[in-house]
Amino acid sequence: MKLAPSIYTVDFSRLAEQISDAERAGVDVIHLDVMDGNFVPNITFGPMVCAAVARSTSLMCEAHLMINGPERYFRDYKEAGVSRIIVHVETCPHLYSTIQQLRQLGLQVGITLNPLTPLETLKPALPLVDLVLIMSVEPGYGGQKYIPQSAQRITTVRRWLDEIDSQAELEVDGGVNLSTICSVRDAGASIVVVGSAVFNDKYSVADSVQMLRTSLQECQGEDEHPL
Ligand code: DX5
Ligand code: ZN
């Protein structure tokens, strides 16, 4: 299971340091939550901060664009050093051409949808993408509670991807922590976004990542030796 820490809850006064701590702790991708105060209530950051993050890590950076009219900024995020862009189907009425635009820029393509947007909305695009992101919280904030119904959505998309032999990543975002990470993995996710579970004021980044890894090993162990 890959870990993608979201910098949404990072201590921005120690951004580069915390990113390096996460990289040293063995995470796989840096997840950048871009919010415009329109598609979601919050405003976070844009290409400049993404460029600063990309300069401070050798890990892949993916931008989760919770913004209206995302195609206006694809080139800016590409130039900032982002390798994968994840767009909300709710903001892309011309999703086929949006995907083409990302491909033309040499970017990896991710699609996502809000927790109650029907999954069928993204099904036709599955053969065209590198990643599907299942939102397990309403987008716009970190530290929210995982929506339990998400497990069903994860398994459904997992099945759809398997049916078309897709190699796309299945990512889950929102409320993934020590108590939910095992069920998210068991439902078929290959990568999880972890915000407050990694960047918080209770534990160091290294300890937070280690606890997530240990939790995964323990639930893996349970599977191997069912009681
Ligand atoms: C929510 C963002 C998530 C969030 C994750 O809109 O897309 O990436 O920051 O934070 P946690 O893991 O704390 O729910
Ligand atoms: Zn996100």
Side-chain angles (χ1 to χ4, degrees):
M1 167 74 86
K2 293 182 191 143
L3 298 180
S6 154
I7 69 161
Y8 182 82
T9 52
V10 81
D11 173 353
F12 275 94
S13 69
R14 298 190 294 137
L15 178 61
E17 178 195 329
Q18 293 213 305
I19 300 273
S20 310
D21 291 349
E23 182 167 359
R24 247 193 318 280
V27 300
D28 304 278
V29 174
I30 302 294
H31 184 84
L32 302 161
D33 283 315
V34 176
M35 302 181 191
D36 65 357
N38 269 285
F39 177 64
V40 292
N42 251 336
I43 294 176
T44 53
F45 47 77
M48 280 168 64
V49 170
C50 295
V53 171
R55 285 196 301 273
S56 60
T57 182
S58 56
L59 293 175
M60 167 194 264
C61 293
E62 64 179 15
H64 175 191
L65 300 187
M66 289 163 273
I67 65 176
N68 285 319
E71 65 286 345
R72 294 172 293 167
Y73 304 101
F74 288 165
R75 186 172 296 280
D76 297 338
Y77 285 102
K78 159 87 179 175
E79 285 163 9
V82 164
S83 316
R84 178 159 61 214
I85 283 188
I86 305 167
V87 291
H88 274 260
V89 294
E90 300 92 346
T91 65
C92 301
H94 309 287
L95 184 57
Y96 183 82
S97 61
T98 300
I99 291 171
Q100 297 312 310
Q101 285 174 53
L102 290 168
R103 289 274 177 240
Q104 274 141 28
L105 285 166
L107 286 159
Q108 281 201 29
V109 178
I111 53 173
T112 186
L113 67 186
N114 290 343
L116 292 186
T117 300
L119 284 175
E120 288 65 22
T121 326
L122 54 73
K123 191 172 185 181
L126 293 184
L128 305 171
V129 301
D130 304 301
L131 177 138
V132 178
L133 175 63
I134 301 289
M135 290 305 297
S136 39
V137 294
E138 200 68 72
Y141 300 91
Q144 298 180 83
K145 240 176 110 17
Y146 174 82
I147 299 171
Q149 291 84 339
S150 309
Q152 181 54 46
R153 288 167 69 88
I154 301 164
T155 44
T156 301
V157 175
R158 175 77 275 154
R159 191 178 72 249
W160 287 351
L161 289 172
D162 293 347
E163 282 165 0
I164 60 169
D165 265 341
S166 165
Q167 299 308 308
E169 295 272 19
L170 180 50
E171 187 172 38
V172 177
D173 186 0
V176 178
N177 53 39
L178 295 177
S179 46
T180 57
I181 195 166
C182 287
S183 61
V184 166
R185 185 193 60 116
D186 296 348
S190 58
I191 174 170
V192 286
V193 177
V194 275
S196 47
V198 168
F199 299 119
N200 57 66
D201 46 19
K202 261 176 87 184
Y203 302 100
S204 70
V205 171
D207 288 350
S208 299
V209 171
Q210 187 50 52
M211 288 189 288
L212 288 165
R213 289 283 186 216
T214 306
S215 173
L216 280 167
Q217 273 148 19
E218 275 158 14
C219 65
Q220 204 120 12
E222 273 156 33
D223 296 355
E224 271 133 42
H225 313 289
L227 293 175

